[in-house]
C-alpha cells in the first residue's frame, strides 16, 4: 500500500505586529495546516525561505512515526537529503520502535546559503547549555566564537498553545537576563511544531535533535554553526536505547549537518559532574541556573520564589552534585536549599530513587569517595526501598495511575505536577 504524503508548500514570511514568521503550508490529504517559526522582527532577515530544510527537519519524525512520505515544493539541501535517506532513516528505523523509513521527494541543491556565518548555542538556563556557552563564549578560534544565543519552546512537552505561550513569554525574560549578563544577543523563537505530533508525545520529545535543528535551519540566513548541548557523553552512545534519542546525538547531528550549517554535539566529552564543576564558579550560573521542570509544565508548590524548587528529581540531582563540590551555598539565590541542607542524607536517598541509576550512581559514588555519605543515608534507604519499589510497579497500571493523581502522590513525592502528562492520563 502506498504511504500518504505530507506536502511542504513554498515557505514564506509574514509579519504580525513586531514579529516575523517563517511559514509553510503543510498539506496532508485535503487538510492544510501552517507550520511556523516566529521571531522578533529584527531577525526577519535571518529567516530562510530558499530551502525546505527547516520544515523537513521539523516534520521528519512525525512522518516516520505515521508513515507519511514527504514532498517539498522548495529545494532541499543535497547533503541533508543524502544523509537522511542513505544513513539516518535506514539505521534509526532499524534500531528504534515507532519509526519507519519514508520517501522524500524534493529538488536538491548543493549551493551554499549566503549566510552571515553566525555561531549559535541553545540557551535554556540548564547545566548542559551553560557549559556550552561558557566553553565557546571566549574560545580562541575566531570563527567558532558564539555570536547568538537561541531560545525556543521546543522543550515544553505540552500541547496547549495558550499554556506554552504563557510559559514561553515568562521564560524568555529570564533567558534575556542571562544573555544580557553574558553580553550576547538572544534570538527567541516560538514554533507550533508540536501541533504536528501525536499527543501524548512518543516521538516529539524523543528525537529532540531534529526538532531543535529545525529552529536553527529556519535561521539559515544568519547561522552557520550550532552547538547542540549534549546530555550524554560519547561513552553512553547507544543506538538501541529506549530512553532518549540524544544517546546517539553524535550520529543525529552528523546527519543534520549540511553545506551551509554544521551541528556539533557540544560537551559530549564531559560527564554531567565535570560540567557542573566547570560552570559552578560563574556568577551568572549561580544566579540563574535553572534545572527545575516545575515551571515547564507544572502546577507547583514552589517555595520562597526561587527558580528551582529544590525537591524534584532534577533539583535534587543538581543539589547533590553541588554538595559533592561544596558549592550548595553559592546557589542559594537560585535554589531552595534549606531542606537539602537540613536533611542532606534524607534528600540524597530521594535523589537516588527519583533519578535513573545512570545519573544517581555516579553522584553517590563520588560522595562515598569524599566520605559524605553517612549512616543515616543507609537507614533512610532501608525505609524507602520498599516504597519506591511498590511505586515503580503501580505506575504501570492505569487504575493505580488515576489513584496516584487523585491522591496527589506526584505532588507529595516530587513537589510538582507534570500538567500535560496529568491531562493525557485523565483522557484515557
Ligand atoms: Zn525542582
Amino acid at each position: 500500500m502506498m504511504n500518504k504524503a505530507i506536502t511542504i508548500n513554498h515557505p514564506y514570511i509574514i509579519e504580525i505586529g513586531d514579529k516575523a514568521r517563517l511559514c509553510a503550508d503543510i498539506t496532508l490529504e485535503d487538510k492544510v495546516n501552517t507550520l511556523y517559526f516566529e521571531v522578533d522582527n529584527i531577525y526577519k532577515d535571518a529567516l530562510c525561505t530558499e530551502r525546505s530544510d527547516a520544515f523537513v527537519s521539523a516534520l521528519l519524525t512525525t512522518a516516520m512515526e505515521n508513515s507519511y512520505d514527504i514532498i517539498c515544493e522548495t529545494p532541499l539541501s543535497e547533503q541533508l537529503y543524502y544523509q537522511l535517506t542513505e544513513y539516518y532513516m535506514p539505521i534509526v528505523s532499524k534500531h528504534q520502535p515507532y519509526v519507519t523509513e519514508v520517501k522524500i521527494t524534493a529538488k536538491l541543491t548543493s549551493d551554499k546559503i549566503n549566510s552571515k556565518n553566525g555561531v549559535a548555542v541553545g540557551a535554556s538556563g540548564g547545566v548542559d547549555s551553560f557549559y556550552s556557552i561558557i566553553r565557546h563564549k571566549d574560545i580562541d578560534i575566531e570563527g567558532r566564537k558564539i555570536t547568538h544565543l537561541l531560545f525556543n519552546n521546543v522543550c515544553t512537552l505540552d500541547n496547549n498553545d495558550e499554556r506554552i505561550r504563557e510559559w514561553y513569554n515568562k521564560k524568555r525574560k529570564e533567558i534575556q537576563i542571562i544573555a544580557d549578563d553574558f553580553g550576547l544577543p538572544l534570538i527567541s523563537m516560538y514554533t507550533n511544531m508540536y501541533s504536528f505530533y501525536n499527543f501524548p508525545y512518543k516521538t516529539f520529545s524523543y528525537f529532540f535533535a531534529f526538532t531543535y535543528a529545525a529552529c536553527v535551519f529556519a535561521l539559515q540566513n544568519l547561522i552557520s554553526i550550532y552547538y547542540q548541548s549534549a546530555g550524554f557523553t560519547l561513552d553512553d552512545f547507544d543506538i538501541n536505547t529506549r530512553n532518549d534519542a540524544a544517546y546517539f546525538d553524535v550520529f543525529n547531528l552528523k546527519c543534520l549537518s549540511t553545506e551551509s550549517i554544521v551541528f556539533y554535539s557540544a560537551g559530549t566529552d564531559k560527564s554531567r559532574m565535570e560540567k557542573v564543576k566547570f560552570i559552578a564558579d560563574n556568577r551568572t550560573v549561580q544566579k540563574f541556573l535553572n534545572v527545575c521542570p516545575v515551571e515547564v509544565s507544572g502546577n507547583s508548590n514552589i517555595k520562597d520564589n526561587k527558580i528551582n524548587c529544590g525537591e524534584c528529581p532534577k533539583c535534587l540531582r543538581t543539589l547533590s552534585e553541588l554538595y559533592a563540590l561544596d558549592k550548595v551555598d553559592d546557589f542559594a539565590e537560585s535554589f531552595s536549599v534549606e531542606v537539602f541542607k537540613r536533611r542532606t542524607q534524607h534528600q540524597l536517598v530521594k535523589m537516588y530513587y527519583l533519578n535513573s541509576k545512570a545519573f544517581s550512581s555516579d553522584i553517590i559514588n563520588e560522595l562515598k569517595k569524599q566520605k559524605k555519605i553517612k549512616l543515616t543515608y543507609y537507614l533512610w534507604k532501608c525505609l524507602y526501598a520498599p516504597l519506591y519499589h511498590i511505586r515503580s510497579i503501580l505506575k504501570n497500571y492505569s487504575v493505580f495511575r488515576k489513584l496516584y493523581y487523585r491522591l496527589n502522590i506526584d505532588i507529595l513525592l516530587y513537589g510538582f505536577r507534570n500538567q500535560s502528562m496529568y491531562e493525557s492520563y485523565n483522557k484515557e
Side-chain angles (χ1 to χ4, degrees), residues 164-409:
I164 302 174
R165 281 267 181 195
E166 193 187 322
W167 170 83
Y168 170 81
N169 288 327
K170 181 166 166 274
K171 186 77 182 177
R172 69 172 283 183
K173 286 187 193 133
E174 291 171 22
I175 302 289
Q176 186 65 55
I177 298 171
I178 295 174
D180 292 346
D181 239 47
F182 282 129
L184 288 165
L186 176 69
I187 308 171
S188 288
M189 177 180 276
Y190 187 89
T191 169
N192 65 338
M193 201 192 306
Y194 65 87
S195 65
F196 290 82
Y197 282 78
N198 304 329
F199 186 83
Y201 303 125
K202 263 197 302 227
T203 61
F204 176 64
S205 48
Y206 189 87
F207 294 94
F208 264 144
F210 279 73
T211 43
Y212 274 87
C215 298
V216 184
F217 280 126
L219 298 164
Q220 259 190 115
N221 290 353
L222 173 66
I223 296 170
S224 60
I225 292 178
Y226 186 75
Y227 300 116
Q228 168 83 32
S229 298
F232 307 98
T233 62
L234 198 52
D235 242 25
D236 304 318
F237 187 94
D238 183 4
I239 189 81
N240 293 308
T241 178
R242 298 290 177 263
N243 294 320
D244 190 339
Y247 276 99
F248 50 91
D249 254 359
V250 175
F251 170 68
N252 296 329
L253 297 174
K254 175 68 190 157
C255 292
L256 283 162
S257 295
T258 68
E259 298 85 349
S260 307
I261 293 195
V262 182
F263 291 91
Y264 292 103
S265 183
T268 194
D269 57 323
K270 292 275 184 292
S271 71
R272 163 102 180 181
M273 190 70 125
E274 288 170 322
K275 286 182 188 168
V276 173
K277 195 172 177 187
F278 186 85
I279 64 173
D281 290 323
N282 184 287
R283 270 303 286 150
T284 306
V285 176
Q286 292 171 357
K287 285 187 285 182
F288 303 115
L289 178 64
N290 186 196
V291 300
C292 188
V294 162
E295 289 181 295
V296 178
S297 56
N299 286 340
S300 69
N301 58 353
I302 203 158
K303 291 171 250 116
D304 54 22
N305 272 330
K306 303 282 170 73
I307 51 176
N308 298 285
C309 73
E311 295 277 350
C312 70
K314 283 198 168 171
C315 279
L316 285 173
R317 179 176 148 201
T318 309
L319 282 172
S320 306
E321 287 157 345
L322 292 171
Y323 177 60
L325 298 166
D326 294 316
K327 297 272 179 204
V328 172
D329 283 324
D330 291 341
F331 284 78
E333 270 174 87
S334 49
F335 280 77
S336 195
V337 297
E338 291 318 311
V339 180
F340 188 86
K341 285 179 69 178
R342 205 171 56 237
R343 314 179 63 191
T344 305
Q345 301 299 316
H346 174 255
Q347 296 301 83
L348 287 175
V349 171
K350 274 170 74 179
M351 185 283 296
Y352 177 81
Y353 282 117
L354 293 176
N355 283 283
S356 75
K357 278 255 156 53
F359 293 134
S360 55
S361 313
D362 265 7
I363 303 171
I364 295 297
N365 288 339
E366 177 61 31
L367 290 170
K368 276 182 186 164
K369 256 192 260 166
Q370 299 185 24
K371 304 215 171 5
K372 285 178 176 164
I373 298 289
K374 310 280 191 255
L375 180 66
T376 44
Y377 172 85
Y378 297 100
L379 296 175
W380 280 116
K381 210 174 156 190
C382 291
L383 191 71
Y384 275 127
L387 290 176
Y388 281 103
H389 184 64
I390 292 167
R391 168 180 164 271
S392 69
I393 295 171
L394 295 188
K395 255 174 79 175
N396 297 323
Y397 294 94
S398 73
V399 54
F400 289 119
R401 214 153 46 195
K402 281 192 177 134
L403 206 62
Y404 172 82
Y405 283 120
R406 199 146 302 150
L407 298 175
N408 292 331
I409 294 172

Side-chain angles (χ1 to χ4, degrees), residues 1-6 28 60-70 98-103 198:
M1 203 177 75
M2 281 247 298
N3 281 346
K4 290 177 189 168
I6 302 175
L28 174 63
L60 184 69
T61 305
T62 192
M64 290 175 74
E65 182 182 358
N66 297 295
S67 297
Y68 298 146
D69 291 337
I70 297 176
Y98 313 125
V99 288
T100 60
E101 273 185 84
V102 299
K103 193 169 157 224
N198 304 329

Side-chain angles (χ1 to χ4, degrees), residues 73-97:
E73 279 194 348
T74 292
L76 184 63
S77 293
E78 183 185 281
Q79 199 175 326
L80 184 62
Y81 173 82
Y82 168 70
Q83 289 160 180
L84 294 181
T85 52
E86 293 292 323
Y87 301 93
Y88 180 75
M89 286 196 279
I91 291 174
V92 168
S93 61
K94 195 156 92 188
H95 293 277
Q96 291 290 317

